[in-house]
Amino acid sequence: VMALFELSEVERAGEFARVVVDTAPSGHTSRMLRLPEVFARWVGALDVMSEKHRYMVAHFARRGRVREDEVDLFLRDLAARVAAVRAMLFDPARASFVLVTTPEAMAFEETARYSASLRAEGAPVTDLVVNRVERGHGDCPFCRARARMQTRWLKSLTQEFKTLRQRRVPLFP
């Protein structure tokens, strides 16, 4: 929640051309991406409650229209911030999601599932970074075995994510 508010402040200030958000694992990020929708529903519910308050004030004060109070201003500001963050996160002209994985079975499966989830949410997924790619060290049997094992998953990643820009980062000491 605080990350979304911080993003809304960054968006509002307009000082940066690019903002990089390095998120927690996929489940946390999926929940974070759903927060603008949750907030929008909360704001809607609070506005309905405020409408009852406005009606009562107008009825008992015998005024046709009630002036906006601090609550109304807060709700309007919050709704605008939520809309701005949602637009920022899901607009392909303004945002892109980069998946980061390793060439291993479990990481491949999790990345494929996460990619499908992001696309279902409407997130613009554009890139894949494959991290910790082994090089075939000639004098290290363990490293050679790991490089052979990764070959299958590198091919699978290339095929599964062929629509994304892909980068491979070697394993460094």
Side-chain angles (χ1 to χ4, degrees):
V1 172
M2 294 312 297
L4 287 179
F5 280 124
E6 188 62 29
L7 280 173
S8 80
E9 289 302 315
V10 168
E11 169 74 10
R12 195 181 266 185
E15 294 178 37
F16 302 103
R18 195 171 309 272
V19 176
V20 176
V21 180
D22 185 1
T23 63
S26 57
H28 297 295
T29 305
S30 292
R31 283 189 289 279
M32 183 188 83
L33 292 175
R34 286 191 293 272
L35 278 176
E37 187 61 37
V38 171
F39 269 113
R41 286 196 304 266
W42 284 352
V43 168
L46 290 171
D47 190 47
V48 167
M49 288 189 272
S50 288
E51 185 59 40
K52 289 178 184 178
H53 168 74
R54 289 187 291 269
Y55 171 78
M56 302 236 343
V57 168
H59 180 69
F60 290 114
R62 303 210 185 275
R63 287 188 255 161
R65 176 138 167 87
V66 178
R67 287 183 308 208
E68 286 186 326
D69 62 11
E70 295 84 20
V71 172
D72 295 317
L73 296 173
F74 171 77
L75 291 176
R76 190 164 19 122
D77 179 61
L78 185 57
R81 289 171 75 168
V82 167
V85 168
R86 179 148 180 73
M88 178 178 57
L89 290 173
F90 294 97
D91 179 358
R94 299 167 62 198
S96 67
F97 286 74
V98 178
L99 301 171
V100 180
T101 191
T102 58
E104 298 169 356
M106 191 161 56
F108 171 81
E109 295 298 333
E110 170 66 12
T111 304
R113 184 188 62 75
Y114 184 44
S115 176
S117 170
L118 286 173
R119 289 179 190 280
E121 297 265 346
V125 181
T126 59
D127 295 80
L128 174 73
V129 174
V130 184
N131 204 2
R132 292 188 268 164
V133 177
E134 277 283 354
R135 292 168 270 171
H137 305 275
D139 57 344
C140 175
F142 176 78
C143 298
R144 281 196 314 269
R146 279 199 46 83
R148 277 194 307 275
M149 178 275 302
Q150 286 184 350
T151 301
R152 171 186 177 201
W153 298 109
L154 288 168
K155 287 179 186 172
S156 296
L157 287 163
T158 298
Q159 182 60 32
E160 177 74 19
F161 299 101
K162 61 184 168 219
T163 61
L164 303 180
R165 291 182 300 246
Q166 296 186 25
R167 306 288 187 269
R168 293 183 179 179
V169 180
L171 177 65
F172 292 105

